[in-house]
Amino acid sequence: QVQLQESGPGLVKPSETLSLTCTVSGGSISIYYWSWIRQSPGKGLEWIGYISYSGNTNYNPSLKSRVTISVDTSKNQFSLKLNSVTAADTAVYFCARSGYCNDGRCYGFPFDYWGQGTLVTVSS
Amino acid sequence: DIQMTQSPSTLSASVGDRVTITCRASQSISRWLAWYQQKPGKAPELLIFDASSLERGVPSRFSGSGSGTEFTLTISSLQPDDFAVYYCQQYDTFSQGTFGQGTKVEIK
């Protein structure tokens, strides 16, 4: 059973960088696609970006200038960095996997496994 | 950018009711649509992908239909465990994944 677990600081100061890590267990991170999604308090879901098994990345255009997603296959982890944060970045951050493959090719959507989510508050 | 609009925003229903949620895309997305269920304090769970394919382990009372710009999620007989928020997500180009704003299914 694949499991994902987010970790990182729960409080980040405005203008600083939000950094989170997702640890994958029960399966290799060297296949499939791996995403970050966030949900502001009481609001809907916003896809942030993904990284592929080969290291290719793709980001939500609205966040692209501030986001970096990377992968560490030796630790079976992938990470999110979001810089220059403001209060608007306060949200529950989820990591997720897309195990969607067709005709020998895998894709970044949809998400079949999710982490439990971690609340990150941006405040001084 | 493709925008996704769900209706209604809130739906009140009783156990045993047939429930239908609609998701409309601002342009054609073929059949590249997923539905998720989210309960309070939990991560979303995938129900349906490719508009009508049931994810493994999801009860058969859930079904999806549609193509192009209009899609529906139907729960054939609402169960107590189904009271939750439901989101659609488009992935037309597989490079962006826009969610709808959500539909809350509450007890009538």
Side-chain angles (χ1 to χ4, degrees):
Chain A
Q1 176 78 352
V2 175
Q3 292 185 314
L4 294 84
Q5 179 68 57
E6 305 89 351
S7 59
L11 181 64
V12 181
K13 290 183 168 55
S15 79
E16 295 190 345
T17 297
L18 180 160
S19 296
L20 295 173
T21 296
C22 182
T23 301
V24 179
S25 58
S28 173
I29 202 169
S30 297
I31 50 177
Y32 303 128
Y33 280 62
W34 307 90
S35 275
W36 289 97
I37 302 104
R38 70 182 184 179
Q39 186 169 36
S40 301
K43 301 292 186 182
L45 300 162
E46 180 180 31
W47 172 73
I48 299 170
Y50 66 54
I51 189 163
S52 75
Y53 49 88
S54 59
N56 294 325
T57 55
N58 193 29
Y59 302 128
N60 186 322
S62 68
L63 297 168
K64 186 175 183 177
S65 64
R66 299 194 291 131
V67 173
T68 303
I69 296 175
S70 59
V71 65
D72 185 339
T73 55
S74 67
K75 295 182 179 178
N76 234 35
Q77 295 176 334
F78 64 107
S79 298
L80 168 71
K81 290 189 185 300
L82 179 67
N83 58 36
S84 304
V85 297
T86 69
D89 295 309
T90 293
V92 174
Y93 287 75
F94 296 98
C95 58
R97 185 195 89 165
S98 172
Y100 184 84
C101 301
N102 199 8
D103 293 333
R105 182 179 172 184
C106 295
Y107 299 89
F109 306 96
F111 311 126
D112 54 355
Y113 288 97
W114 294 65
Q116 64 186 24
T118 188
L119 175 62
V120 178
T121 301
V122 178
S123 175
S124 55
Chain B
D1 292 357
I2 299 174
Q3 307 300 318
M4 306 302 294
T5 303
Q6 289 183 231
S7 60
S9 297
T10 304
L11 186 159
S12 298
S14 302
V15 172
D17 284 353
R18 181 181 181 87
V19 166
T20 299
I21 299 168
T22 298
C23 181
R24 290 186 173 87
S26 59
Q27 64 189 67
S28 177
I29 57 170
S30 185
R31 62 185 174 88
W32 306 121
L33 186 102
W35 290 97
Y36 300 86
Q37 177 193 68
Q38 186 179 32
K39 296 178 180 177
K42 301 292 188 182
E45 294 185 0
L46 180 63
L47 300 174
I48 302 283
F49 63 96
D50 294 354
S52 60
S53 296
L54 195 66
E55 174 69 351
R56 285 170 297 186
V58 174
S60 59
R61 63 180 180 272
F62 291 93
S63 64
S65 64
S67 66
T69 61
E70 187 155 334
F71 302 84
T72 58
L73 172 70
T74 299
I75 308 172
S76 60
S77 179
L78 197 65
Q79 299 302 301
D81 192 47
D82 301 338
F83 293 97
V85 180
Y86 293 84
Y87 293 93
C88 63
Q89 181 195 30
Q90 71 82 18
Y91 46 97
D92 178 48
T93 61
F94 287 92
S95 63
Q96 299 292 322
T98 314
F99 290 93
Q101 82 277 17
T103 295
K104 182 178 181 180
V105 176
E106 62 180 23
I107 301 173
K108 190 172 184 179

